[in-house]
Amino acid sequence: MLSTLSLVAAGLGVSLVPASLRRVNIEGVVYVSVTDPVELRAPLNLIWRDAPQSGATRKLIEEVRRHREQQAN
């Protein structure tokens, strides 16, 4: 998450972050609460390095793929 805040501070975009990150003070970053986020949805992407993964990483990838398939049906 800190890299996301750094990208925002550098002027390279905006981001939705957990409210807990308000405690992180970075010059140039403004936090605005999203009030009444009725059915707020955003597409998410899972990314990983193209290299051998640990067992935990493989399991997470499998679970995300399984969930995606269930949502498609």
Side-chain angles (χ1 to χ4, degrees):
M1 285 289 175
L2 292 178
S3 59
T4 299
L5 295 177
S6 296
L7 290 170
V8 170
L12 298 174
V14 300
S15 183
L16 293 172
V17 297
S20 60
L21 285 180
R22 280 184 168 270
R23 294 178 291 184
V24 179
N25 293 317
I26 296 180
E27 186 176 336
V29 173
V30 177
Y31 296 92
V32 177
S33 294
V34 177
T35 57
D36 197 24
V38 178
E39 295 189 40
L40 179 63
R41 292 180 176 239
L44 299 176
N45 294 285
L46 177 65
I47 61 172
W48 60 89
R49 287 179 24 153
D50 186 19
Q53 290 97 27
S54 69
T57 301
R58 284 192 305 274
K59 182 67 175 169
L60 176 61
I61 293 168
E62 290 170 11
E63 289 300 317
V64 169
R65 285 180 171 156
R66 185 182 352 259
H67 180 74
R68 181 184 63 186
E69 290 171 7
Q70 289 174 351
Q71 295 299 311
N73 295 328

